[in-house]
Amino acid sequence: MSTRWFTPRWLVALVAGAGVGIGLWASGSPKPRASALVGPGDRAVGTAEAARRAKDARVRDVTLTAAPTTLRLDGRKVTTWAFNQTVPGPQIRVNAGDVLRARVINRLPQPLTVHWHGIALRNDMDGVPDVTQKAIKPGGQFVYRFTVTDPGTFFYHSHVGTQLDRGLYGPLIVDDPRDTTAPRRDITVLLDDWIDGTGQTPDQVLTKLRSGATTGMDSSGTGSPDMGSMPGMSSASSDSSSSGSQMSENMPTRTSPLGEDTTDLTYPYYLINGRPATDPATVTVTPGERIRLRIINAASTTPFRVAVGGSRLTVTASDGFPVRPVTADTILLGMGERYDAVVTVPRSGAVPLVAKAEGTSAQALAVLRTGTGTNPMPDTKVKELAGRLLTYADLHATRAAALPARTPERTYTVNLTGTMTTYKWGIAAAKEGSATLPVRQGQRIRLVLKNETMMWHPMHLHGHTFQLVTGSAPGPRKDTVIVPPMSRVTVDLDANNPGQWALHCHNIYHAEAGMLTTLSYVKK
């Protein structure tokens, strides 16, 4: 049974005084002394937190209790794990500048941590077992306390093993009290793929993937996604063992931007706000009302394409950071990505909000109800799904959100490796020959994420946001980015949050199988 997310053999070094493992250094690579690393308990971490926190900051207290629970999906009784007996977990809502104090109680049979996805918080509160903290033992508890500086759409979830593929997640919304331009009302849309309690657990799924079994899995991984190609990406060098014909078939195209291998698994259910399409989540709205959708992909292996029947989407933020407003018919979200989108509610009794599982015919459904009338059918067709799709090339950070122009002091080419055949995935810095990325406080860092595999990967960096390098106007600020097969994405970030920070694929099964590293601060 998998009991932690980060389980590579080289995760063995301990930082003196920190009590947690952060020595993710490859065998044979130069390994710094533990005293040279800025650990989670280092004074620099506390200093950075003090600079974020106002003296009169409001403290927002919440309690999250993780425990086994039972829910019904399409009339089926499903046993799973959840926070506070609900799936998703309770929505946490704070203002920018608040201090979030979250007491997490573990009543599960496994250890637990909670990661605050997308938040630039203090390192010792990031919730990565054996990297920033010791996992919370069964029967134990831990208090996370940190300042939330940036407004936006975020979420929280377990960061142990395959637990995210249960019900251990929930939305975290950070409001900006000074923002007078946003719609008066917003609706959180949490997307998920669901397999737990339907005959196999996520741990069993991982075991089958590693053994090459195909139960609950499309062994070829093929599908037929449809979206405009993503920008900021160029073809990677052809150093894969795949044949030229296979590469040609799997390369991203205008009609298949993620390539043909879109997911490792076929799930029995796809959910919006914890509800399947046969029993959709319903929100009462006013015809013609202008609302903001806060869309979060909390799934474990599934990208979703989202659209609202009869309405276009005006995207105003990506991964919590504002972008110049841009309008599209539909949005594709990789796992871990979030988008804010403003819609004008059509004058219809029951408006379908559809999230299609990319590369499949399955979809999740929610209903924006403006009056009487029957709900849309679970497989209702929404023409907007075939309309203009948002791409990264459409997104430009606002002037306030963009990073200042600056030449990077250090560039890493980060190779993403692995195959579905052996189900071993990897990540390493090419030039350094190292499994970590050493940085120093204050540096501008450039990461070239080079995908050498035949599958796409949503790469997520903890504790920071980066800016896509597109060669034109400033790209969007993000913390999770899609890297298509045999392609590369270039991002810049400022090393302004000391500690040890995970960088990994947000396909949790890929992360468990080795596609992870750390952005590792070292002392000057």
Side-chain angles (χ1 to χ4, degrees), residues 324-398:
R324 301 175 195 171
V326 57
T327 300
D329 294 306
T330 183
I331 304 170
L332 181 72
L333 295 92
M335 297 80 79
E337 287 192 294
R338 294 94 59 210
Y339 283 98
D340 291 3
V342 176
V343 301
T344 300
V345 178
R347 299 182 180 277
S348 172
V351 179
L353 190 162
V354 172
K356 182 177 180 293
E358 191 77 354
T360 78
S361 60
Q363 65 183 29
L365 174 71
V367 177
L368 303 177
R369 180 159 291 284
T370 63
T372 59
T374 59
N375 276 345
M377 296 296 291
D379 59 351
T380 187
K381 304 300 181 184
V382 175
K383 65 180 179 61
E384 284 78 9
L385 286 174
R388 183 179 182 276
L389 192 76
L390 184 81
T391 72
Y392 289 158
D394 298 321
L395 298 175
H396 301 289
T398 62

Side-chain angles (χ1 to χ4, degrees), residues 191-193 222-226 258 262-263 265-267 269-271 297 299 301-306 332-333 354-365 385:
L191 313 175
D192 191 20
D193 44 21
T222 59
S224 53
D226 176 21
L258 304 182
T262 57
T263 182
L265 302 172
T266 298
Y267 283 81
Y269 298 108
Y270 297 95
L271 312 180
N297 187 354
T301 71
T302 304
F304 286 99
R305 184 192 299 251
V306 176
L332 181 72
L333 295 92
V354 172
K356 182 177 180 293
E358 191 77 354
T360 78
S361 60
Q363 65 183 29
L365 174 71
L385 286 174

Side-chain angles (χ1 to χ4, degrees), residues 424-453:
K424 293 180 180 179
W425 304 96
I427 180 172
K431 291 183 179 179
E432 300 291 323
S434 169
T436 62
L437 310 172
V439 301
R440 297 186 187 277
Q441 176 83 10
Q443 289 182 323
R444 170 68 58 86
I445 304 297
R446 173 162 291 181
L447 303 180
V448 181
L449 303 172
K450 182 183 176 186
N451 188 353
E452 298 179 342
T453 81

Side-chain angles (χ1 to χ4, degrees), residues 18 45 62 107 124 127 140 201 205 291 293 332 356 381 445 496:
V45 172
V62 300
R107 293 180 180 164
D124 54 353
T201 67
V205 170
I291 60 175
L293 302 177
L332 181 72
K356 182 177 180 293
K381 304 300 181 184
I445 304 297
N496 56 11

